[in-house]
Amino acid sequence: MLKNYIVVALRTLRRNLGYTSLNVIGLALGITCSLLLFLVIRHELSYDRFHSKADRTYRINVDRVTANGPENSAGTPFPMLATIRASLPELTPATHVFNEEGGTFTVLSTNDREPPRKFREERPILFVEPEFFDLFDFETNGVNARQAIKDVNTVLLTQSIAEKYFPGENPVGRVIRMNNVVNLRVTGVIPDAPANSDLPYLMLVDYESSKTVNSFVTDDSWNSTYSNQQIYFALAPGASKTQAEDRLNEIASKLRDRAPGEKYRYTFQPLSEVHFDERYSNFNGRTVDKTTLWALGLIGLFLVLVASINFVNLATAQALRRAKEVGMRKVLGASKGQLMLQYLSETGLITLVALVLSVMFAELLLPYLNQLLELEIQFSIARDAQVALFLLVVLVVVTLFAGFYPALVLSGFQPISALKSKATTARAAGIPLRRALVVLQFTICQILIICTIIVHHQMEYFRSASLGFDKEAVVVIPVPSGKAKDLMALRPQLEAHSAVHASTFALSPPSSNIGLNTSFKYDDFSVERNYSVNLKIGDEHYLKTFNIPLLAGRVYQKSDTIREFMVNETFLRHVGVKNPEEALGKQLQVNGGQSTGKIVGVVKNFHLASLREEIQPVVMSTATSFYFTYNVKIEQSEAKAALAHLQRVWSTAYPDNVFYYDFLDDTIARFYEGEERQAHLFKIFSVIAIIIGCLGLYGLVSFMVAQRTKEVGVRKVLGASSASIVGLFSKDFAALVLIAFLIAAPISYYSMSKWLQDFTYRIDIGSWVFLAAGALTLLIALTTVSVQALKAAFSNPVRALKTE
Amino acid sequence: MLKTVNLQKKYTTDEVETTALVNVNLHVKQGEFLAIMGPSGCGKSTLLNIIGLLDNPTSGEFYFLDKEISKFSERQRANLRKEHLGFVFQSFNLIDELTVYENVELPLIYLKVGNAERKQRVEQVLEQMQIAHRRNHFPQQLSGGQQQRVAIARAVVSKPKLLLADEPTGNLDSAHGQEVMQLLSTLNEQGTTIVMVTHSPTDADYAHRIVNLFDGQIISENVKELAIL
Ligand SMILES: Nc1ncnc2c1ncn2[C@@H]1O[C@H](COP(=O)(O)OP(=O)(O)OP(=O)(O)O)[C@@H](O)[C@H]1O
Ligand SMILES: [Mg+2]
């Protein structure tokens, strides 16, 4: 029986090759996208799930509520772990993970002839304790990692670093120098960190060495935290998380100072949330919102849905052609169930073909997707049970969804009327449903178009919004910590190039991920404020270099330490000063009373971080020891020459270091990487949805035209114009687009308003977006319809009438 | 074999009510060859469809193999159809996607006849209908007469007790028409009961008995060979 079904199915498909290929291509496109999205979602959900203790592993976070709003951080005070080990034995194994975001590495040679080789790394170098390997199950390839970093100044290299630094050599026993401050002995080579971990180390260094590399780490106060200093631990089986959390807070409350009215709590964040909770950063520098994953899943579903709808539409439209076959089979005694099974297996066959194609497409496209999303996803169905299962589910669901209704329609034909073939029942079959489905397709397409336009628009806004300072043609060059003076001495040489317009030494550019927050006192110092201000450190050329306008007063004078201050407009609003002139000359104290000075200037507000965040109160001052960057405004058209010049001078100041730089606008663009990727995905998938929809529409219309050839012929004989013939077919679809628009507009308005709420600075959703999307869909639909309708309109009416 | 008592059939479509059959009382015996004749639109096909269990009467009784079946469900009728009935239509109604062989095989598949027996029975009936040499052709590749022979082969391959034919020669020229009638006649001699609708008096001559229908009523019957009854 099945053989007979398949034979008939294959022959039917071949006979209707046009429709079959429309169906197969549409389905294959839809399934390809859903498969790729499945891989992406699965990858994101797999982060750090492979550790055997993953389900009871936590990270310690700090949640604080201030007048500026909630502040969340994954940083911990440096003495905390010792306290935990002494008083909370159920938190075990526990380890520090200290992240130094890259650094300069010098490979010391074993003889005097070769010069040392230098490398610059930008990704995490993790400083960990031996317990790290009790807690996490990273692949070590037989190396006893616990033992390898037991001693101070030891390092485990990953495979790719080992190959880069020691090509063709055995690195074990060799020495590399980090940031020109510490020599590390290589004790082993381990595989690269897996792609799905938020601890993406390039090297693992013993924790003690971090104290030499980073001066923050020697701080033994409970009052400061540093976000790159994190604690991970496993909770003993059966122990209560809340009890342990309470106890830690109880102990800590006795050890740390408390600001008045401050709400402060250490919380245990499950490892499984580290990848998703965007309130805290992770060492991957990337969290994924779970709603984004849901949205991607939904889009995948949508695409398959749109493709399946094509299927239902084309199949029901074709039902008439098959009425005779159905009728005859029924006369011969086929039951309804048998017929349904036959048509379902036909659908299953098409889906299977589409499925095979989509696996091929997916393999082809995956590298591009990886590149776009900066991921390292791999798959092979042969060894991947989950993917195989996913495809099986898709096969069954699509077959049932796409095949069930057409099968029902076909098998429901009455044998006599079906045999009469011109059966009106067959013609009427499924027309209302077909319309509803076309509306659904248009709705999905329009939602995607509207979302794409809005996301794109917001991205444009990110790029073009005035940040309150110039970000174009500004080069940011890191300065080795504590050594700014060496370069400052060369300022005349640095600026002695026609392409260098202005330059400033500073902690960081105006918009930056690096910031100092400090408590402060204003004017008479009597008012205690429970919020902090952002302390921007930069020399007297800061405003000029970034073109930040001054509202009142003057720029502070050159100084090596904090002496004079400038503040921004938000600061004035916070302290309740209306007129900028009023603030001039007022006393200000920062750093817990360590630095006092006068306000000499007020600057116009500029953005401190991404446009997601509000502008904080800012206090600006000078302090040479905090100058970690050298920022240069150059002539864009002579960037190459300017950079060469800067590198030359820079290298004379720091002969042991590696010169590198970033363009400020690139750094700022990176704030929106996540959104940029979303925008890209949206664009790609809307285009695909539209293509799939058009394929279906094209098939449907060509079918309708074929069915109405005779009608068109008669109308033309009676003198109808080609335009009126096209109108005949277009009218219906235009109405459907309109209905879809009425459904799509509110849905997309609602979801996009929600999305935009994440950004403090955002576009308004203009009505033009909806009109444009509606018009675009209408245009696409009518073009698709017209292509077919015109064929009918221009055909010879005599020929059309003869064929009947 | 079958018997109808006061059979009525009305079609109702939007306000308009057509009475296709009025009080039809018909009795067909085992082994009979019956022809139904009458002007176009008098209800011949309607009657044949009811006899063929493709349609239900509006009222009246219908006995098939001594069972009153006018109220049978579609599924029950489908079962009776595939076991006991064979159909031949004016327009052949072969399935275009299937070869001659596969078309003839189809009823046996629905009857779940085993592979070997199926093959043997299909071959046999193809030989009998003199169409075996075309077994791998598709319907469109055959002449009308050949197509109708395939249709008859398909109708009789399941060895039905009753063969129903609606204008089996309607689409054929007279030479091919005679060929088909010859076949039907042979089948009847071998024991198959046949009810045939026809417009052609020549065809009707092959039957034992002719029923004349007019406006849904039987107006006359003439029995040709009393001896057979
Ligand atoms: N599905 C239907 N709906 C409504 N009326 C119908 C339907 N089928 C048949 N009729 C009507 O019933 C009557 C009998 O039709 P039927 O097809 O039985 O005639 P016929 O004798 O077979 O005619 P012909 O020789 O032309 O085939 C006709 O008046 C026809 O219009
Ligand atoms: Mg008829």
Side-chain angles (χ1 to χ4, degrees):
Chain A
M1 183 86 73
L2 198 66
K3 183 179 144 256
N4 183 271
Y5 290 170
I6 291 172
V7 165
V8 177
L10 284 177
R11 291 193 192 133
T12 314
L13 298 183
R14 202 171 41 208
R15 206 146 75 96
N16 300 318
L17 202 58
Y19 300 114
T20 308
S21 17
L22 285 181
N23 267 336
V24 169
I25 293 170
L27 263 183
L29 272 176
I31 297 174
T32 305
C33 293
S34 70
L35 176 58
L36 289 174
L37 287 170
F38 169 79
L39 292 172
V40 170
I41 294 169
R42 183 179 67 158
H43 175 80
E44 297 290 5
L45 290 177
S46 74
Y47 272 67
D48 287 310
R49 297 310 297 161
F50 53 88
H51 307 293
S52 57
K53 299 188 186 69
D55 288 332
R56 51 190 180 93
T57 301
Y58 297 86
R59 181 173 73 173
I60 299 182
N61 290 339
V62 184
D63 293 346
R64 173 171 32 198
V65 182
T66 73
N68 297 349
E71 282 174 13
N72 308 287
S73 159
T76 49
F78 291 89
M80 181 185 264
L81 190 56
T83 308
I84 287 176
R85 287 190 175 135
S87 325
L88 290 161
E90 69 267 43
L91 273 51
T92 184
T95 178
H96 273 131
V97 180
F98 180 86
N99 173 23
E100 188 66 18
E101 197 72 41
T104 314
F105 292 87
T106 314
V107 176
L108 303 183
S109 58
T110 47
N111 54 51
D112 296 338
R113 292 185 308 278
E114 277 174 58
R117 281 167 296 142
K118 285 190 225 160
F119 299 92
R120 172 73 213 168
E121 302 300 343
E122 305 275 1
R123 285 181 36 222
I125 313 296
L126 298 187
F127 294 74
V128 301
E129 291 163 305
E131 284 83 352
F132 181 84
F133 299 100
D134 300 336
L135 184 58
F136 297 116
D137 298 320
F138 289 109
E139 194 64 53
T140 58
N141 219 358
V143 172
N144 185 344
R146 210 179 182 289
Q147 197 65 25
I149 54 154
K150 199 169 53 80
D151 299 328
V152 70
N153 298 347
T154 49
V155 60
L156 279 167
L157 303 184
T158 53
Q159 190 67 40
S160 47
I161 289 289
E163 279 160 17
K164 179 171 161 192
Y165 291 6
F166 302 98
E169 291 174 76
N170 179 9
V172 177
R174 298 286 294 272
V175 176
I176 59 174
R177 187 167 175 77
M178 180 170 185
N179 292 359
N180 291 309
V181 292
V182 62
N183 285 355
L184 303 170
R185 187 166 46 87
V186 179
T187 50
V189 176
I190 53 174
D192 288 357
N196 56 348
S197 173
D198 285 314
L199 299 166
Y201 48 82
L202 285 179
M203 305 176 198
L204 290 171
V205 186
D206 76 282
Y207 180 71
E208 275 307 301
S209 299
S210 65
K211 295 179 179 168
T212 327
V213 172
N214 193 306
S215 52
F216 283 120
V217 187
T218 49
D219 186 340
D220 60 358
S221 149
W222 273 82
N223 295 322
S224 45
T225 58
Y226 181 51
S227 59
N228 276 352
Q229 157 76 14
Q230 305 188 346
I231 296 175
Y232 290 82
F233 67 87
L235 192 64
S240 151
K241 179 198 165 202
T242 10
Q243 270 172 26
E245 213 177 75
D246 288 346
R247 239 180 94 49
L248 176 66
N249 279 287
E250 194 185 303
I251 297 169
S253 67
K254 296 190 188 104
L255 296 166
R256 60 180 303 276
D257 303 336
R258 267 138 67 82
E262 181 192 52
K263 285 196 188 118
Y264 200 97
R265 186 172 168 81
Y266 298 110
T267 51
F268 297 170
Q269 180 188 34
L271 185 62
S272 58
E273 283 170 22
V274 169
H275 193 61
F276 303 107
D277 197 332
E278 56 195 355
R279 291 174 302 162
Y280 314 92
S281 64
N282 60 41
F283 293 155
N284 219 350
R286 180 177 76 88
T287 54
V288 185
D289 193 4
K290 281 225 170 126
T291 16
T292 306
L293 292 187
W294 278 109
L296 290 180
L298 206 61
I299 290 176
L301 205 67
F302 272 5
L303 291 172
V304 174
L305 190 66
V306 171
S308 303
I309 287 175
N310 283 350
F311 204 105
V312 177
N313 281 343
L314 289 178
T316 49
Q318 268 179 279
L320 179 60
R321 282 199 176 179
R322 306 195 60 176
K324 197 179 96 174
E325 181 199 334
V326 175
M328 200 54 225
R329 281 178 186 272
K330 281 204 154 182
V331 167
L332 294 178
S335 71
K336 200 168 157 146
Q338 279 171 322
L339 286 169
M340 286 202 60
L341 203 66
Q342 181 190 343
Y343 293 109
L344 276 178
S345 45
E346 234 171 69
T347 315
L349 197 70
I350 292 189
T351 314
L352 192 67
V353 174
L355 215 59
V356 172
L357 279 179
S358 35
V359 170
M360 280 157 49
F361 288 167
E363 291 208 24
L364 232 78
L365 294 175
L366 192 59
Y368 298 99
L369 189 71
N370 274 334
Q371 203 176 6
L372 178 70
L373 300 181
E374 291 178 31
L375 295 175
E376 292 170 40
I377 302 171
Q378 281 157 0
F379 96 107
S380 94
I381 33 165
R383 278 179 287 113
D384 196 329
Q386 279 178 358
V387 169
L389 189 69
F390 171 80
L391 291 176
L392 190 68
V393 170
V394 169
L395 177 66
V396 172
V397 171
V398 170
T399 302
L400 286 182
F401 179 80
F404 188 78
Y405 182 75
L408 201 66
V409 168
L410 278 166
S411 62
F413 285 158
Q414 285 306 310
I416 324 164
S417 42
L419 281 178
K420 278 187 188 163
S421 180
K422 296 292 162 306
T424 43
T425 49
R427 192 190 291 273
I431 284 181
L433 180 97
R434 220 141 67 207
R435 291 197 172 169
L437 290 178
V438 170
V439 167
L440 183 59
Q441 277 186 319
F442 282 141
T443 307
I444 292 173
C445 285
Q446 291 192 71
I447 289 176
L448 285 173
I449 294 175
I450 294 172
C451 292
T452 305
I453 297 179
I454 292 175
V455 171
H456 179 81
H457 201 48
Q458 176 72 19
M459 296 314 297
E460 272 304 308
Y461 177 73
F462 284 152
R463 266 188 289 269
S464 61
S466 164
L467 299 176
F469 63 91
D470 277 3
K471 60 173 178 172
E472 278 78 33
V474 174
V475 189
V476 181
I477 305 165
V479 170
S481 74
K483 290 188 184 169
K485 276 215 134 105
D486 300 352
L487 193 61
M488 287 171 78
L490 299 176
R491 174 184 277 282
Q493 285 96 309
L494 287 164
E495 292 198 340
H497 191 280
S498 60
V500 174
H501 294 321
S503 66
T504 179
F505 287 89
L507 172 66
S508 57
S511 286
S512 164
N513 285 324
I514 300 158
L516 289 177
N517 277 302
T518 171
S519 58
F520 75 102
K521 286 178 181 172
Y522 174 71
D523 202 13
D524 60 359
F525 299 168
S526 61
V527 190
E528 288 266 14
R529 291 186 166 84
N530 69 342
Y531 61 93
S532 52
V533 292
N534 191 310
L535 187 59
K536 281 270 160 200
I537 304 288
D539 68 16
E540 67 280 10
H541 305 286
Y542 199 82
L543 297 192
K544 184 172 158 238
T545 308
F546 293 110
N547 198 15
I548 299 170
L550 198 60
L551 285 179
R554 58 171 175 84
V555 173
Y556 43 58
Q557 280 170 351
K558 184 178 161 80
S559 165
D560 283 342
T561 54
I562 294 181
R563 237 183 58 197
E564 291 177 331
F565 292 107
M566 293 189 291
V567 296
N568 72 349
E569 295 169 279
T570 311
F571 178 90
L572 296 188
R573 211 176 59 237
H574 272 72
V575 298
V577 173
K578 291 231 163 56
N579 184 358
E581 306 287 343
E582 232 175 88
L584 300 179
K586 293 274 163 41
Q587 290 284 324
L588 195 62
Q589 201 178 65
V590 296
N591 275 355
Q594 285 171 35
S595 315
T596 310
K598 271 199 182 108
I599 296 176
V600 298
V602 176
V603 300
K604 221 167 147 26
N605 267 353
F606 54 84
H607 283 276
L608 299 165
S610 77
L611 298 180
R612 254 173 251 121
E613 278 137 64
E614 215 153 341
I615 297 179
Q616 285 182 344
V618 169
V619 169
M620 302 176 71
S621 192
T622 49
T624 312
S625 57
F626 281 99
Y627 295 163
F628 293 155
T629 61
Y630 177 50
N631 306 269
V632 194
K633 171 86 178 175
I634 58 169
E635 181 60 46
Q636 185 83 68
S637 56
E638 293 174 54
K640 226 175 173 170
L643 282 165
H645 167 75
L646 291 169
Q647 173 163 19
R648 207 162 43 241
V649 183
W650 192 93
S651 299
T652 59
Y654 310 112
D656 290 336
N657 292 77
V658 184
F659 176 85
Y660 66 102
Y661 62 88
D662 261 318
F663 278 99
L664 182 56
D665 46 3
D666 290 345
T667 316
I668 289 173
R670 244 172 274 146
F671 291 168
Y672 310 111
E673 257 173 347
E675 286 80 11
E676 193 77 58
R677 284 192 204 115
Q678 276 180 26
H680 248 98
L681 283 183
F682 263 128
K683 264 179 231 170
I684 294 171
F685 290 123
S686 344
V687 168
I688 292 176
I690 291 168
I691 292 176
I692 298 174
C694 284
L695 285 179
L697 201 58
Y698 183 83
L700 192 58
V701 176
S702 58
F703 195 86
M704 284 172 43
V705 169
Q707 254 183 10
R708 291 167 75 171
T709 313
K710 186 171 176 187
E711 178 190 338
V712 170
V714 173
R715 279 174 189 270
K716 286 198 77 173
V717 169
L718 297 178
S721 69
S722 293
S724 76
I725 300 287
V726 173
L728 187 73
F729 290 100
S730 311
K731 217 171 50 209
D732 256 13
F733 285 100
L736 299 185
V737 170
L738 196 72
I739 296 170
F741 177 74
L742 295 178
I743 303 171
I747 292 177
S748 35
Y749 179 80
Y750 174 76
S751 46
M752 279 293 104
S753 304
K754 283 210 105 158
W755 182 76
L756 284 172
Q757 258 159 30
D758 273 358
F759 309 103
T760 312
Y761 301 93
R762 55 181 178 247
I763 52 162
D764 293 325
I765 303 180
S767 47
W768 68 269
V769 174
F770 298 96
L771 295 179
L776 187 65
T777 324
L778 195 62
L779 186 74
I780 293 172
L782 292 189
T783 311
T784 312
V785 172
S786 304
V787 169
Q788 278 299 326
L790 277 173
K791 265 195 216 161
F794 288 134
S795 65
N796 185 340
V798 179
R799 183 127 38 88
L801 289 177
K802 249 195 199 151
T803 58
E804 197 51 17
Chain B
M1 172 116 255
L2 69 87
K3 192 172 117 186
T4 70
V5 181
N6 291 337
L7 206 63
Q8 288 244 22
K9 180 71 187 177
K10 285 182 183 148
Y11 291 108
T12 340
T13 38
D14 312 326
E15 315 283 304
V16 188
E17 197 186 82
T18 323
T19 307
L21 294 176
V22 189
N23 288 338
V24 174
N25 293 298
L26 186 71
H27 189 162
V28 181
K29 294 210 178 90
Q30 182 88 41
E32 241 191 315
F33 190 156
L34 180 78
I36 301 172
M37 295 188 75
S40 188
C42 70
K44 304 183 295 293
S45 296
T46 306
L47 178 59
L48 200 71
N49 286 338
I50 291 174
I51 293 174
L53 305 176
L54 293 172
D55 209 350
N56 269 335
T58 315
S59 67
E61 293 153 36
F62 176 38
Y63 296 90
F64 179 71
L65 297 175
D66 300 329
K67 269 178 276 182
E68 211 293 306
I69 54 113
S70 63
K71 299 288 179 296
F72 264 34
S73 74
E74 165 63 27
R75 175 187 287 270
Q76 288 170 307
R77 285 190 277 136
N79 277 333
L80 282 179
R81 268 204 310 268
K82 74 179 165 195
E83 276 171 43
H84 301 299
L85 296 177
F87 290 88
V88 177
F89 297 95
Q90 175 179 358
S91 53
F92 324 135
N93 283 332
L94 297 174
I95 294 173
D96 295 334
E97 282 77 21
L98 296 180
T99 60
V100 165
Y101 184 93
E102 288 160 347
N103 262 292
V104 176
E105 189 187 23
L106 203 53
L108 299 182
I109 291 178
Y110 285 126
L111 276 172
K112 304 202 166 65
V113 174
N115 234 328
E117 186 189 346
R118 205 161 72 212
K119 191 167 155 53
Q120 183 242 321
R121 273 169 73 174
V122 174
E123 288 296 348
Q124 190 202 327
V125 76
L126 286 177
E127 290 297 339
Q128 191 184 348
M129 298 297 146
Q130 295 158 26
I131 200 78
H133 57 295
R134 301 281 187 185
R135 65 164 71 76
N136 289 324
H137 285 61
F138 285 95
Q140 276 95 343
Q141 299 164 334
L142 303 179
S143 74
Q146 287 170 327
Q147 286 191 49
Q148 196 61 300
R149 291 216 299 271
V150 176
I152 294 171
R154 184 178 62 184
V156 301
V157 73
S158 58
K159 305 216 170 83
K161 293 202 166 61
L162 178 61
L163 182 66
L164 300 166
D166 195 344
E167 300 183 37
T169 61
N171 280 5
L172 303 175
D173 61 42
S174 57
H176 282 111
Q178 287 319 299
E179 232 173 65
V180 164
M181 286 317 300
Q182 210 63 61
L183 275 173
L184 289 181
S185 191
T186 317
L187 283 168
N188 177 248
E189 277 158 25
Q190 289 165 357
T192 313
T193 314
I194 297 179
V195 177
M196 175 183 76
V197 166
T198 185
H199 281 289
S200 144
T202 336
D203 290 357
D205 272 352
Y206 287 87
H208 307 151
R209 181 155 68 109
I210 299 170
V211 169
N212 280 304
L213 223 54
F214 189 78
D215 268 359
Q217 298 188 33
I218 296 181
I219 49 160
S220 70
E221 294 189 27
N222 63 57
V223 180
K224 269 176 52 195
E225 294 169 55
L226 280 165
I228 294 242
L229 292 173

